[in-house]
Amino acid sequence: MSTLTESDSDTAGTQASLTQSLDRAIGLLEEVVNHAARGASLGALAEHAQLSKPTAHRLLNGLRKLGLVDYEEKSRLFFPGLKLYRMGLASAVRFDLVQLAQPSMALLAEETGDTVYLSLRAGDSALCVARQIGSFPIRTLTLGGGDYRPLGLGAGSLALLSALPDAEVEQVIARNRDKLAPHANFDPANLRAMVRQTREQGHSLNDGKMLPEMVALGVIVHDAAGRPAAALSIATISSRMAPERRASIVALLMREARALEQALGMAPATQVRT
């Protein structure tokens, strides 16, 4: 039987420490991005990232040296750095999901008259990267481009959470506990039940859990390797989402998700536009 030596223990401790520091730095960077428009102070970033000010200050200095964060001396505020923009451009060279999704989103908005959203995972959050407004006069504009939500909060966000492995789902729920606390319908037990339901039915459903008069449905879009790349969702008022219409909306979402997957390089799907 193998035993853990002192050297092994030291190595494991070092790796755990490095992982913790990396998690904290990434969480802090996400908060800088969340406050990109107006900037954020050291105190605000430390509070949002749940870190002490000395720890946040040390990590922010490291991120500044890497060019990922800028600091404005006059206002004493932190902003995303130029390197983040360059990294985003480099990622976009591979494929531009927003551009690829525009035809599908426009078609869904035209066919349903409702609001269509495209969301990507950003750490423990879902980032709304595009929105297409339908013709129906009563609109459910709960998200705009650039808005973040904790994973699980909302149909697209729930679809993204449900696509993760069980262990990662639990980790995300634990890390987002405080952010989800103000939303009574999204406590850990309810979120786990929603994840199970989403996996069983193949799409997410937010049936008035955020706003009583709003219903939304979401599906996952996979990349060429079969990994969850994004979520397409449709939101409308509850009176327009009777069960029989829900089925047709899900079918439309699935059709466009498969079309987008083909554009991303996946094998042709059996269900295509007619």
Side-chain angles (χ1 to χ4, degrees), residues 219-222 253-263 267 269 271-272:
V219 300
I220 279 291
V221 176
H222 297 88
L253 280 167
M254 295 294 289
R255 183 196 69 193
E256 294 310 312
R258 300 296 83 82
L260 186 49
E261 288 173 349
Q262 290 181 46
Q271 184 180 19
V272 295

Side-chain angles (χ1 to χ4, degrees), residues 190-217:
N190 281 338
L191 261 182
R192 293 186 189 101
M194 290 182 221
V195 166
R196 287 194 297 271
Q197 181 186 43
T198 298
R199 290 172 175 174
E200 289 169 0
Q201 60 193 17
H203 66 271
S204 61
L205 168 65
N206 177 20
D207 189 0
K209 290 183 173 62
M210 290 183 63
L211 296 173
E213 296 304 318
M214 187 195 79
V215 177
L217 300 161

Side-chain angles (χ1 to χ4, degrees), residues 152 158 161-162 166 169-171 173-174 177 185-200:
L158 176 59
L161 177 65
S162 302
D166 288 343
V169 168
E170 288 300 320
Q171 292 166 5
I173 290 175
R177 185 182 293 268
N185 291 324
F186 293 86
D187 60 60
N190 281 338
L191 261 182
R192 293 186 189 101
M194 290 182 221
V195 166
R196 287 194 297 271
Q197 181 186 43
T198 298
R199 290 172 175 174
E200 289 169 0

Side-chain angles (χ1 to χ4, degrees), residues 146-189:
D147 287 347
Y148 283 86
R149 275 183 178 165
L151 281 175
L153 189 63
S157 183
L158 176 59
L160 289 168
L161 177 65
S162 302
L164 301 178
D166 288 343
E168 195 168 358
V169 168
E170 288 300 320
Q171 292 166 5
V172 169
I173 290 175
R175 289 194 294 262
N176 279 341
R177 185 182 293 268
D178 290 341
K179 292 181 180 179
L180 291 167
H183 305 276
N185 291 324
F186 293 86
D187 60 60

Side-chain angles (χ1 to χ4, degrees), residues 13-109:
T14 300
Q15 290 176 340
S17 178
L18 289 172
T19 299
Q20 184 183 54
S21 295
L22 182 60
D23 287 343
R24 288 175 172 177
I26 291 174
L28 199 55
L29 185 59
E30 287 179 349
E31 292 301 335
V32 173
V33 172
N34 288 347
H35 298 84
R38 297 183 179 180
S41 66
L42 170 63
L45 290 170
E47 180 180 354
H48 286 296
Q50 300 180 356
L51 298 172
S52 67
K53 281 188 178 181
T55 298
H57 186 263
R58 174 176 57 82
L59 293 173
L60 285 167
N61 279 338
L63 292 170
R64 287 178 65 193
K65 290 178 181 178
L66 292 171
L68 297 172
V69 168
D70 284 339
Y71 179 68
E72 191 178 87
E73 296 284 349
K74 185 176 180 179
S75 64
R76 303 177 71 177
L77 297 176
F78 292 88
F79 295 86
L82 180 61
K83 184 177 282 187
L84 279 181
Y85 176 70
R86 290 171 55 199
M87 292 168 70
L89 289 177
S91 298
V93 169
R94 185 177 178 191
F95 55 80
D96 187 345
L97 259 174
V98 177
Q99 183 177 353
L100 289 174
Q102 285 304 317
S104 287
M105 295 181 69
L107 186 57
L108 286 169

Side-chain angles (χ1 to χ4, degrees), residues 224-240:
R227 298 167 300 204
L232 275 173
S233 58
I234 289 180
T236 189
I237 57 175
S238 57
S239 61
R240 284 173 57 79

